[in-house]
Amino acid sequence: MITILIVVLLVLLILNVPLAIGVAFASMVALLNSDLSEFVAIQRMITGLDSFPLMSIPLFMLAGKIMEKGGISKRLVDFAGSIVGSVTGGFAIIAVIASMFFAAISGSAPATVVAIGSIIVPAMIKEGYDKKFALALIASAGTIGIIIPPSIPFITYGISANTSVGDLFVAGVLPGILMGLALIIYAYIISKKRNYKGLEKSSWANFWKHFKKSILGLLMPIIILGGIYSGYFTPTESGAVASVYGLVVALFIYRTMKFKDLKTTFVEAGVLSAMVLFIIAAANLMSWVITVEQIPTKLAGVLMEITSSPAMFIVIIMLIFFVVGMFVEINAAIILIVPILLPILGMYEINLVYFGVLMIVNLAIGLLTPPLGVNLFVAKSLDTIRFDELVKAVIPFIGIMIVVLALLVIFPQISLVLLGG
């Protein structure tokens, strides 16, 4: 079954068949060549989506779209500018800080790239920044969207590993901030070298003006995490709270959205949600086929023979994730791999929350690596540039993210300290 599944899937991927369809079809073919009924395929796909926490994915997709359409991203960019705009490379630093703010609202990396990049990239180019640098920076900063909570991949991982989504959200805070700081330092060094000057010196009056304009957007992550940990609502319900809060702010307070805009906003969020959930359903089916064939048990035996060290095991798995991230969508990768690794993680006594952070940060690098590189394609759509030029420009940023990942591997406390670990 596994040989048939892998061969069929590789052929379909080479033929450029959409990932969800390829995964589902390959799993079906494998089932047809076994003693199992093909009706199991539909059952497993539906069962894979029959999860209350999964409801938060379309809700957070909707919240991100509302914030994007409602002009919240513009206010966040202006607020970031009032803090660091006068520093050397001000626009580059604003791009990262605004992405961190938006990441704490949307939970989606591509949404962060579009919402912040569509505002900041034209401004950077106008101020004399190299186009390749500007696009590579915003593509990299967008990856923070799935590290700082709320994060859709964290939700997917929590469901797959039967681990607290709330704990994962908290564990992602410091790694996300660390990633942002690393990108800011690199942006500052490059700006200093290329003489990218800052904006006019800011003032307290300017800071307070933009703070007051953006405060309602900045409050959203506080409401989400505060509500979860105070027990007022679950991580799933927080998605509904975020969506309703965003609608109230955009429609009645900022008045940057009209009721006629709601149809487009809901449809776009629905399409994005359907794409992600279809991939998750197909990946659930493939994961089940792999489990039936006892691949997790066999793989555990092989890895235990290679090394008995948890640290060495993590290094090996991180290298595998780096390659997987180049070819497989993040949520699909999580659902395919986590069930296989769960028994092995138990043998090595590795904290599931800590491992989840490492996995998401590692797979986030895949958003910048061809051939999948979702953030690269989104960033490329913001301006005219050859894809190979953008790939070359993003290489240093990939190096920075790998350094941050290495720090998280070496120092688990970065991920666990806020949980008291």
Side-chain angles (χ1 to χ4, degrees):
M1 281 176 69
I2 294 300
T3 304
I4 293 169
L5 187 150
I6 292 172
V7 170
V8 173
L9 180 59
L10 287 175
V11 170
L12 293 174
L13 291 177
I14 291 169
L15 294 174
N16 206 28
V17 173
L19 181 65
I21 296 173
V23 169
F25 186 79
S27 302
M28 284 284 289
V29 173
L31 282 172
L32 289 171
N33 285 273
S34 72
D35 296 329
L36 299 168
S37 168
E38 60 273 19
F39 292 107
V40 174
I42 303 302
Q43 183 186 47
R44 296 310 306 181
M45 290 179 73
I46 293 173
T47 303
L49 294 178
D50 186 16
S51 168
F52 181 66
L54 272 181
M55 288 177 62
S56 60
I57 291 179
L59 290 169
F60 277 120
M61 287 282 192
L62 178 59
K65 275 293 173 186
I66 291 167
M67 290 296 175
E68 177 190 331
K69 300 279 187 183
I72 308 296
S73 52
K74 175 69 167 64
R75 292 169 186 265
L76 295 176
V77 169
D78 291 340
F79 175 58
S82 71
I83 302 172
V84 296
S86 59
V87 178
T88 298
F91 269 119
I93 298 172
I94 290 168
V96 179
I97 293 178
S99 294
M100 293 169 71
F101 287 152
F102 195 81
I105 295 172
S106 71
S108 167
T112 303
V113 175
V114 171
I116 304 301
S118 58
I119 298 167
I120 200 71
V121 168
M124 290 177 73
I125 295 170
K126 186 178 178 182
E127 286 295 316
Y129 284 78
D130 178 68
K131 184 189 297 185
K132 297 188 291 292
F133 171 75
L135 291 171
L137 175 66
I138 198 63
S140 306
T143 61
I144 302 173
I146 63 169
I147 302 172
I148 289 181
S151 160
I152 290 170
F154 272 144
I155 295 167
T156 307
Y157 176 85
I159 295 165
S160 301
N162 196 25
T163 303
S164 167
V165 174
D167 286 351
L168 288 164
F169 278 3
V170 173
V173 172
L174 291 184
I177 292 172
L178 180 62
M179 186 73 76
L181 288 174
L183 292 175
I184 287 171
I185 291 168
Y186 178 74
Y188 177 80
I189 293 169
I190 294 298
S191 299
K192 197 83 172 173
K193 191 178 293 185
R194 299 181 184 177
N195 200 30
Y196 295 146
K197 299 191 181 297
L199 309 174
E200 292 181 12
K201 192 170 182 179
S202 189
S203 63
W204 278 107
N206 190 43
F207 170 83
W208 282 114
K209 182 181 81 171
H210 289 297
F211 176 73
K212 285 186 285 186
K213 284 185 175 181
S214 61
I215 183 63
L216 294 176
L218 295 170
L219 277 175
M220 184 178 281
I222 297 172
I223 292 170
I224 292 170
L225 290 178
I228 292 170
Y229 275 88
S230 62
Y232 281 107
F233 43 77
T234 66
T236 304
E237 291 164 347
S238 70
V241 172
S243 297
V244 173
Y245 177 84
L247 279 173
V248 171
V249 170
L251 286 172
F252 304 112
I253 300 176
Y254 289 160
R255 296 183 181 178
T256 45
M257 276 184 74
K258 307 295 182 187
F259 281 98
K260 64 180 181 181
D261 300 324
L262 291 181
K263 180 181 177 182
T264 304
T265 303
F266 276 73
V267 167
E268 288 181 7
V271 169
L272 286 173
S273 301
M275 289 166 58
V276 172
L277 292 172
F278 188 13
I279 291 170
I280 288 174
N284 261 299
L285 172 59
M286 182 176 282
S287 176
W288 180 78
V289 171
I290 290 170
T291 303
V292 166
E293 287 295 286
Q294 297 185 320
I295 297 303
T297 307
K298 295 171 185 175
L299 182 60
V302 172
L303 287 171
M304 291 296 282
E305 286 180 12
I306 294 173
T307 178
S308 59
S309 165
M312 195 62 207
F313 164 75
I314 287 177
V315 170
I316 293 170
I317 294 300
M318 289 301 104
L319 292 172
I320 293 172
F321 283 165
F322 184 79
V323 176
V324 168
M326 295 181 181
F327 299 96
V328 184
E329 193 271 339
I330 287 180
N331 292 288
I334 292 168
I335 290 180
L336 288 173
I337 296 172
V338 170
I340 297 173
L341 292 181
L342 274 180
I344 308 170
L345 294 172
M347 291 178 187
Y348 284 105
E349 297 182 346
I350 294 171
N351 185 295
L352 291 179
V353 172
Y354 164 63
F355 187 80
V357 172
L358 296 184
M359 184 176 192
I360 302 306
V361 172
N362 195 323
L363 292 174
I365 300 173
L367 295 168
L368 302 177
T369 52
L372 195 59
V374 175
N375 276 22
L376 290 180
F377 289 103
V378 175
K380 184 181 179 298
S381 69
L382 298 175
D383 209 297
T384 53
I385 185 175
R386 291 209 322 266
F387 187 68
D388 62 311
E389 291 180 330
L390 182 55
V391 171
K392 289 177 185 175
V394 86
I395 289 173
F397 294 97
I398 293 174
I400 290 165
M401 294 181 71
I402 290 173
V403 170
V404 171
L405 176 62
L407 289 173
L408 296 176
V409 170
I410 297 167
F411 303 106
Q413 301 89 340
I414 298 173
S415 304
L416 300 177
V417 67
L418 294 181
L419 293 169

Coordinates of all heavy atoms in Angstrom, one line a residue, residues 2 5-6 9 13 19-20 22-24 26-27 156-157 160-161 278-291 295-296 299 320-321 324-325 327-343 359 363:
I2 N 1.9 1.3 0.9 CA 2.7 2.5 1.0 C 3.5 2.8 -0.3 O 3.6 3.9 -0.7 CB 3.7 2.3 2.2 CG1 2.9 2.3 3.5 CG2 4.7 3.5 2.2 CD1 2.0 3.5 3.7
L5 N 1.1 4.2 -2.8 CA 0.7 5.5 -2.4 C 1.8 6.5 -2.7 O 1.5 7.6 -3.3 CB 0.5 5.5 -0.8 CG -0.1 6.8 -0.2 CD1 -1.0 6.5 1.0 CD2 1.0 7.8 0.2
I6 N 3.0 6.2 -2.4 CA 4.1 7.2 -2.7 C 4.4 7.4 -4.1 O 4.5 8.5 -4.6 CB 5.4 6.7 -2.0 CG1 5.3 6.7 -0.5 CG2 6.6 7.5 -2.4 CD1 6.4 6.1 0.3
L9 N 1.4 9.4 -5.7 CA 1.5 10.8 -5.2 C 2.6 11.6 -5.9 O 2.4 12.7 -6.3 CB 1.7 10.8 -3.7 CG 1.8 12.2 -3.1 CD1 0.5 13.0 -3.3 CD2 2.1 12.1 -1.6
L13 N 2.1 14.9 -8.2 CA 2.8 16.1 -7.9 C 3.6 16.6 -9.1 O 3.7 17.8 -9.4 CB 3.7 16.0 -6.7 CG 2.9 15.8 -5.3 CD1 3.9 15.6 -4.2 CD2 2.0 17.0 -5.0
L19 N -2.4 19.7 -4.5 CA -2.0 18.9 -3.4 C -3.1 18.1 -2.8 O -3.0 16.8 -2.6 CB -1.3 19.7 -2.4 CG -0.7 19.0 -1.2 CD1 0.4 18.0 -1.6 CD2 -0.2 19.9 -0.1
A20 N -4.2 18.7 -2.5 CA -5.3 18.0 -1.8 C -5.8 16.8 -2.6 O -6.1 15.7 -2.2 CB -6.4 19.0 -1.4
G22 N -4.3 15.3 -5.1 CA -3.2 14.3 -5.3 C -3.1 13.4 -4.1 O -3.0 12.2 -4.2
V23 N -3.2 14.0 -2.9 CA -3.1 13.2 -1.7 C -4.3 12.3 -1.5 O -4.1 11.1 -1.2 CB -3.0 14.1 -0.4 CG1 -3.1 13.3 0.9 CG2 -1.6 14.8 -0.4
A24 N -5.5 12.8 -1.8 CA -6.7 12.0 -1.7 C -6.7 10.9 -2.7 O -7.0 9.7 -2.4 CB -7.9 12.9 -1.8
A26 N -4.1 9.5 -4.4 CA -3.1 8.5 -4.1 C -3.5 7.5 -3.0 O -3.3 6.3 -3.0 CB -1.8 9.2 -3.7
S27 N -4.2 8.1 -1.9 CA -4.6 7.3 -0.8 C -5.7 6.3 -1.3 O -5.8 5.1 -0.9 CB -5.2 8.2 0.3 OG -4.2 9.1 0.7
T156 N -3.9 23.2 14.1 CA -3.8 21.9 13.4 C -2.9 21.0 14.2 O -3.3 19.8 14.3 CB -3.3 22.1 12.0 OG1 -4.0 23.1 11.3 CG2 -3.3 20.8 11.2
Y157 N -1.8 21.5 14.6 CA -0.9 20.6 15.4 C -1.5 20.2 16.7 O -1.4 19.0 17.1 CB 0.4 21.3 15.7 CG 1.4 20.6 16.6 CD1 2.2 19.6 16.1 CD2 1.4 20.7 18.0 CE1 3.1 18.9 16.9 CE2 2.2 20.0 18.8 CZ 3.1 19.1 18.2 OH 3.9 18.3 19.0
S160 N -3.9 17.4 16.0 CA -3.2 16.1 15.6 C -2.4 15.5 16.8 O -2.4 14.3 16.8 CB -2.2 16.5 14.5 OG -2.8 17.0 13.4
A161 N -1.9 16.3 17.7 CA -1.1 15.8 18.8 C -1.9 15.6 20.1 O -1.3 15.3 21.1 CB 0.2 16.6 19.0
F278 N -9.8 21.2 2.9 CA -9.8 20.1 1.9 C -8.4 19.4 2.1 O -8.3 18.2 2.1 CB -10.0 20.6 0.5 CG -10.1 19.6 -0.5 CD1 -10.3 18.2 -0.2 CD2 -10.0 19.9 -1.9 CE1 -10.4 17.3 -1.2 CE2 -10.1 19.0 -2.9 CZ -10.3 17.6 -2.5
I279 N -7.3 20.2 2.2 CA -6.0 19.6 2.4 C -5.9 18.8 3.7 O -5.4 17.7 3.7 CB -4.9 20.7 2.4 CG1 -4.8 21.4 1.0 CG2 -3.6 20.2 2.8 CD1 -4.0 22.6 0.9
I280 N -6.5 19.3 4.7 CA -6.5 18.6 6.0 C -7.3 17.3 5.9 O -6.8 16.3 6.4 CB -7.1 19.5 7.1 CG1 -6.1 20.7 7.4 CG2 -7.4 18.7 8.4 CD1 -6.7 21.7 8.4
A281 N -8.4 17.3 5.2 CA -9.2 16.1 5.1 C -8.4 15.0 4.3 O -8.4 13.9 4.7 CB -10.5 16.4 4.4
A282 N -7.8 15.4 3.2 CA -7.0 14.5 2.4 C -5.8 14.0 3.2 O -5.5 12.8 3.1 CB -6.6 15.2 1.1
A283 N -5.2 14.9 3.9 CA -4.0 14.5 4.7 C -4.4 13.5 5.8 O -3.6 12.6 6.2 CB -3.3 15.7 5.3
N284 N -5.6 13.7 6.4 CA -6.1 12.8 7.4 C -6.2 11.4 6.8 O -5.9 10.4 7.5 CB -7.4 13.2 7.9 CG -7.3 14.0 9.2 OD1 -6.9 13.4 10.2 ND2 -7.7 15.2 9.3
L285 N -6.7 11.3 5.6 CA -6.9 10.0 5.0 C -5.5 9.3 4.8 O -5.3 8.1 5.1 CB -7.6 10.1 3.6 CG -7.7 8.9 2.7 CD1 -8.4 7.8 3.4 CD2 -8.4 9.2 1.4
M286 N -4.6 10.1 4.2 CA -3.2 9.5 4.0 C -2.6 9.1 5.3 O -1.9 8.0 5.4 CB -2.3 10.5 3.3 CG -1.0 9.9 2.9 SD 0.1 11.1 2.0 CE -0.6 10.8 0.3
S287 N -2.8 9.9 6.3 CA -2.2 9.6 7.7 C -2.8 8.3 8.2 O -2.0 7.5 8.8 CB -2.5 10.8 8.6 OG -2.1 10.4 9.9
W288 N -4.1 8.1 8.0 CA -4.7 6.8 8.4 C -4.1 5.6 7.7 O -3.8 4.6 8.3 CB -6.2 6.9 8.2 CG -6.9 5.7 8.7 CD1 -7.2 5.3 9.9 CD2 -7.4 4.6 7.8 NE1 -7.9 4.1 9.9 CE2 -8.0 3.7 8.6 CE3 -7.4 4.5 6.4 CZ2 -8.6 2.5 8.1 CZ3 -8.0 3.3 5.9 CH2 -8.6 2.4 6.8
V289 N -3.9 5.8 6.4 CA -3.4 4.7 5.6 C -2.0 4.3 6.1 O -1.6 3.2 6.2 CB -3.3 5.1 4.1 CG1 -2.5 4.0 3.3 CG2 -4.7 5.2 3.5
I290 N -1.2 5.4 6.3 CA 0.2 5.2 6.8 C 0.2 4.5 8.2 O 1.0 3.6 8.5 CB 0.9 6.5 6.9 CG1 1.2 7.1 5.5 CG2 2.2 6.4 7.7 CD1 1.7 8.5 5.5
T291 N -0.8 4.8 9.0 CA -0.9 4.2 10.4 C -1.3 2.8 10.3 O -0.8 1.9 11.0 CB -1.9 5.0 11.2 OG1 -1.5 6.4 11.3 CG2 -1.9 4.5 12.7
I295 N 3.6 2.1 9.8 CA 4.8 2.9 9.5 C 5.4 3.6 10.8 O 6.6 3.5 11.0 CB 4.6 3.9 8.4 CG1 4.2 3.2 7.1 CG2 5.8 4.8 8.2 CD1 5.1 2.2 6.6
P296 N 4.6 4.2 11.7 CA 5.1 4.8 12.9 C 6.0 3.8 13.7 O 7.0 4.2 14.2 CB 3.9 5.2 13.6 CG 2.8 5.4 12.6 CD 3.1 4.4 11.6
L299 N 9.2 3.0 11.8 CA 10.1 4.1 11.8 C 10.7 4.3 13.2 O 11.9 4.7 13.3 CB 9.4 5.4 11.4 CG 10.2 6.7 11.3 CD1 11.3 6.6 10.3 CD2 9.3 7.9 11.0
I320 N 14.6 16.7 8.3 CA 13.6 16.1 7.5 C 12.5 17.1 7.3 O 12.0 17.3 6.2 CB 13.0 14.8 8.2 CG1 14.0 13.7 8.2 CG2 11.7 14.4 7.5 CD1 13.6 12.5 9.1
F321 N 12.1 17.9 8.3 CA 11.1 18.9 8.2 C 11.5 20.0 7.2 O 10.6 20.5 6.5 CB 10.8 19.6 9.6 CG 10.0 18.7 10.5 CD1 9.9 19.0 11.9 CD2 9.2 17.6 10.0 CE1 9.1 18.3 12.7 CE2 8.5 16.9 10.9 CZ 8.4 17.2 12.2
V324 N 10.7 18.5 3.9 CA 9.3 18.4 3.7 C 8.6 19.8 3.4 O 7.7 19.9 2.6 CB 8.7 17.7 4.9 CG1 7.1 17.8 4.9 CG2 9.1 16.3 5.0
G325 N 9.1 20.8 4.1 CA 8.5 22.1 4.0 C 8.7 22.7 2.6 O 7.9 23.6 2.2
F327 N 8.1 21.1 -0.1 CA 7.2 20.4 -1.1 C 5.8 20.3 -0.6 O 4.9 20.1 -1.4 CB 7.7 19.0 -1.4 CG 9.1 19.0 -2.0 CD1 10.2 18.8 -1.2 CD2 9.3 19.2 -3.4 CE1 11.5 18.8 -1.8 CE2 10.5 19.2 -3.9 CZ 11.6 19.0 -3.1
V328 N 5.5 20.4 0.7 CA 4.2 20.1 1.3 C 3.7 21.3 2.0 O 4.4 21.9 2.8 CB 4.2 18.8 2.2 CG1 2.8 18.5 2.7 CG2 4.9 17.6 1.5
E329 N 2.4 21.6 1.8 CA 1.7 22.6 2.6 C 1.7 22.4 4.1 O 1.7 21.2 4.5 CB 0.2 22.7 2.1 CG -0.5 24.0 2.5 CD -1.2 23.8 3.8 OE1 -1.4 22.7 4.2 OE2 -1.5 24.9 4.4
I330 N 1.9 23.4 4.9 CA 2.2 23.3 6.3 C 1.1 22.4 7.0 O 1.5 21.5 7.7 CB 2.2 24.7 7.0 CG1 3.5 25.3 6.5 CG2 2.2 24.5 8.5 CD1 3.7 26.7 7.1
N331 N -0.2 22.7 6.8 CA -1.2 22.0 7.6 C -1.2 20.5 7.2 O -1.4 19.6 8.0 CB -2.6 22.6 7.4 CG -2.7 24.0 8.0 OD1 -2.7 24.1 9.2 ND2 -2.6 25.0 7.2
A332 N -1.0 20.2 5.9 CA -0.9 18.9 5.4 C 0.3 18.1 6.0 O 0.2 17.0 6.4 CB -0.9 18.8 3.9
A333 N 1.4 18.8 6.0 CA 2.6 18.2 6.6 C 2.4 17.8 8.1 O 2.8 16.8 8.5 CB 3.8 19.2 6.5
I334 N 1.7 18.7 8.8 CA 1.5 18.5 10.2 C 0.6 17.2 10.4 O 1.0 16.3 11.2 CB 0.8 19.7 10.9 CG1 1.7 20.9 10.9 CG2 0.3 19.3 12.3 CD1 1.1 22.2 11.3
I335 N -0.5 17.1 9.6 CA -1.4 16.0 9.8 C -0.8 14.7 9.3 O -1.1 13.6 9.8 CB -2.7 16.3 9.1 CG1 -3.4 17.4 9.9 CG2 -3.6 15.1 9.0 CD1 -4.7 17.8 9.3
L336 N 0.1 14.8 8.3 CA 0.8 13.6 7.8 C 1.8 13.1 8.7 O 2.0 11.8 8.9 CB 1.4 13.9 6.4 CG 0.4 14.0 5.2 CD1 1.2 14.5 4.0 CD2 -0.3 12.7 4.9
I337 N 2.6 14.0 9.3 CA 3.8 13.6 10.1 C 3.5 13.4 11.5 O 4.1 12.4 12.1 CB 4.9 14.6 9.9 CG1 5.3 14.7 8.4 CG2 6.1 14.3 10.7 CD1 6.3 15.8 8.1
V338 N 2.7 14.2 12.2 CA 2.6 14.2 13.6 C 2.1 12.8 14.1 O 2.7 12.2 15.1 CB 1.7 15.3 14.1 CG1 1.3 15.1 15.6 CG2 2.3 16.6 13.9
P339 N 1.0 12.2 13.5 CA 0.6 10.9 14.0 C 1.7 9.8 13.9 O 1.8 8.9 14.7 CB -0.6 10.5 13.1 CG -1.1 11.8 12.6 CD 0.1 12.7 12.4
I340 N 2.6 10.0 12.9 CA 3.7 9.0 12.8 C 4.7 9.2 13.9 O 5.3 8.2 14.4 CB 4.4 9.2 11.4 CG1 3.4 8.9 10.3 CG2 5.7 8.3 11.3 CD1 4.0 9.3 8.9
L341 N 4.9 10.4 14.3 CA 6.0 10.7 15.3 C 5.5 10.6 16.7 O 6.4 10.5 17.6 CB 6.5 12.2 15.0 CG 7.3 12.4 13.7 CD1 7.8 13.8 13.7 CD2 8.5 11.4 13.7
L342 N 4.2 10.7 17.0 CA 3.7 10.7 18.4 C 4.3 9.6 19.2 O 4.8 9.8 20.3 CB 2.2 10.7 18.4 CG 1.5 12.1 18.3 CD1 0.0 11.9 18.3 CD2 2.0 13.0 19.4
P343 N 4.2 8.3 18.7 CA 4.8 7.2 19.6 C 6.3 7.4 19.8 O 6.8 7.1 20.9 CB 4.5 6.0 18.8 CG 3.5 6.4 17.8 CD 3.7 7.8 17.5
M359 N 8.5 22.4 15.2 CA 7.9 22.0 13.9 C 7.3 23.1 13.1 O 7.6 23.2 11.9 CB 6.8 20.9 14.2 CG 6.2 20.3 12.9 SD 5.0 19.0 13.3 CE 4.9 18.3 11.7
L363 N 8.7 24.5 9.6 CA 7.9 24.4 8.4 C 7.6 25.9 7.9 O 7.4 26.0 6.7 CB 6.6 23.7 8.7 CG 6.7 22.2 9.0 CD1 5.3 21.7 9.4 CD2 7.2 21.5 7.7

